[in-house]
Amino acid sequence: MAERKVLSKYFPPDFDPSKLERRRKPLANAGPKVQTVRLMAPFSMKCTSCGEYIYKGRKFNARKETTDEKYLQITIFRFYIRCTRCSAEITFKTDPKRMDYECERGARRNFEVWREAKLNEETEEEMLDRIEREENERDAMKELERKTVDAKMEMAVADALDEVRLRNAQRERVGKEGEVAGVQREERDLEREREEMEMEEAARRAFQSGTGEKVKRLEEDLLLTEQDCGGKDEVAVPPPTFVRQVKKKKDFSAALGIKKKSLV
């Protein structure tokens, strides 16, 4: 036991170091890394060679191989086991996408109800694809709605321009017609004034006598009479009374031939 602790070791006199064989270590990236591991069957399966059923949880000495496949930067491993009856090689690998294992060859996985329901469910990748597809469809709908709004706006602008042009044309036409109408209105006003002057002249001639004197109206005569009577004594007019007067009843008996008896 003490020999392993010494600093110097014994070399025989016939020792030749040139006769020693040089051994190189295998390269790190020479091939897939394989190591022996102890594992349990991750699912129940049936061997395709002999028909032996291998239940879930049975222990095996397996070879673990690191593959070049990856899913979302997760390395996928492959495992090699042998059937307990015929020693046929069975291979399965990890499935990070479904968080399960996938049987490759040598055996067939038994039916599992919960697994079928899980496979029918939407995975995360499918959900992401569906969301992306819906967003693309939504973007297409938004683009269509934007194009529809732009088309409506263009139509509204075109209608407004047509209305402005029509209004300007009407104003120009009304302006030209207004000048003509103004001249006609002035002519009508002059004609009306001339007719009124003629009517006043005819009325003045009608109220003149044959000698050329103006005929006086009744109101003027009354006014002159009141002016003449202004120096005399005015007649006192009694104030009005509002006493109720009882009317006598008429006797219709004589008209009807009725004779009244005299009270003697």
Side-chain angles (χ1 to χ4, degrees):
M1 293 296 294
E3 293 178 357
R4 62 184 179 85
K5 295 182 180 180
V6 298
L7 299 177
S8 61
K9 293 185 179 181
Y10 172 75
F11 293 98
D14 56 349
F15 175 74
D16 188 4
S18 61
K19 294 181 179 181
L20 294 177
E21 297 179 359
R22 294 184 179 181
R23 296 180 181 180
R24 295 183 179 179
K25 294 182 179 180
L27 298 176
N29 299 326
K33 295 180 180 179
V34 179
Q35 64 185 66
T36 304
V37 294
R38 182 77 171 172
L39 56 77
M40 292 186 293
F43 50 84
S44 59
M45 65 189 82
K46 179 182 177 181
C47 179
T48 56
S49 298
C50 62
E52 176 72 11
Y53 284 96
I54 302 173
Y55 57 87
K56 179 180 179 181
R58 189 164 185 174
K59 296 182 180 180
F60 291 92
N61 292 325
R63 289 183 294 115
K64 177 182 175 183
E65 178 184 352
T66 304
T67 63
D68 297 333
E69 302 177 12
K70 288 188 178 182
Y71 174 79
L72 299 177
Q73 304 300 324
I74 300 174
T75 305
I76 295 177
F77 299 97
R78 183 179 286 109
F79 299 92
Y80 299 90
I81 62 175
R82 293 191 174 274
C83 176
T84 56
R85 183 176 179 183
C86 64
S87 299
E89 190 177 57
I90 299 173
T91 307
F92 59 89
K93 64 180 181 179
T94 57
D95 188 4
K97 182 177 180 180
R98 295 183 177 85
M99 294 181 291
D100 199 1
Y101 290 85
E102 181 182 355
C103 186
E104 287 187 326
R105 60 185 177 84
R108 184 175 67 253
R109 187 168 181 171
N110 295 338
F111 176 77
E112 296 171 343
V113 179
W114 63 268
R115 182 170 174 269
E116 293 296 327
K118 188 175 181 180
L119 290 175
N120 293 331
E121 292 180 358
E122 186 179 25
T123 61
E124 184 177 358
E125 186 175 356
E126 293 175 352
M127 182 180 65
L128 294 175
D129 294 341
R130 178 178 58 79
I131 292 173
E132 185 178 0
R133 185 171 59 256
E134 290 178 355
E135 288 180 354
N136 294 333
E137 292 178 357
R138 192 179 299 111
D139 293 340
M141 291 299 296
K142 287 182 179 179
E143 185 68 18
L144 180 61
E145 290 178 358
R146 187 180 62 79
K147 290 182 179 179
T148 305
V149 171
D150 293 342
K152 289 183 178 179
M153 187 177 296
E154 290 178 1
M155 293 175 62
V157 170
D159 294 340
L161 288 175
D162 293 341
E163 186 176 357
V164 170
R165 291 171 183 171
L166 180 61
R167 190 181 300 114
N168 293 337
Q170 290 179 353
R171 287 179 180 176
E172 291 178 0
R173 186 171 60 254
V174 168
K176 294 179 180 179
E177 294 177 356
E179 294 178 359
V180 178
V183 175
Q184 294 178 356
R185 194 181 302 109
E186 291 179 359
E187 294 178 356
R188 286 196 299 271
D189 293 340
L190 293 174
E191 185 68 22
R192 191 179 299 107
E193 290 178 1
R194 186 169 60 254
E195 291 178 358
E196 289 179 357
M197 291 176 64
E198 291 177 358
M199 291 174 65
E200 289 179 0
E201 183 66 20
R204 187 176 61 77
R205 291 177 181 178
F207 285 101
Q208 284 182 355
S209 60
T211 58
E213 296 180 359
K214 185 178 180 182
V215 179
K216 297 180 180 180
R217 297 182 181 180
L218 181 60
E219 294 178 357
E220 295 178 356
D221 295 342
L222 292 175
L223 182 59
L224 292 173
T225 305
E226 290 177 358
Q227 290 177 359
D228 294 341
C229 297
K232 298 181 181 180
D233 297 335
E234 295 181 357
V235 181
V237 179
T241 58
F242 299 96
V243 180
R244 184 177 180 183
Q245 295 180 0
V246 182
K247 295 182 179 180
K248 295 181 179 181
K249 294 183 179 181
K250 297 181 180 181
D251 190 6
F252 297 100
S253 59
L256 296 175
I258 300 173
K259 295 182 179 179
K260 293 184 178 180
K261 295 180 180 181
S262 59
L263 299 175
V264 180

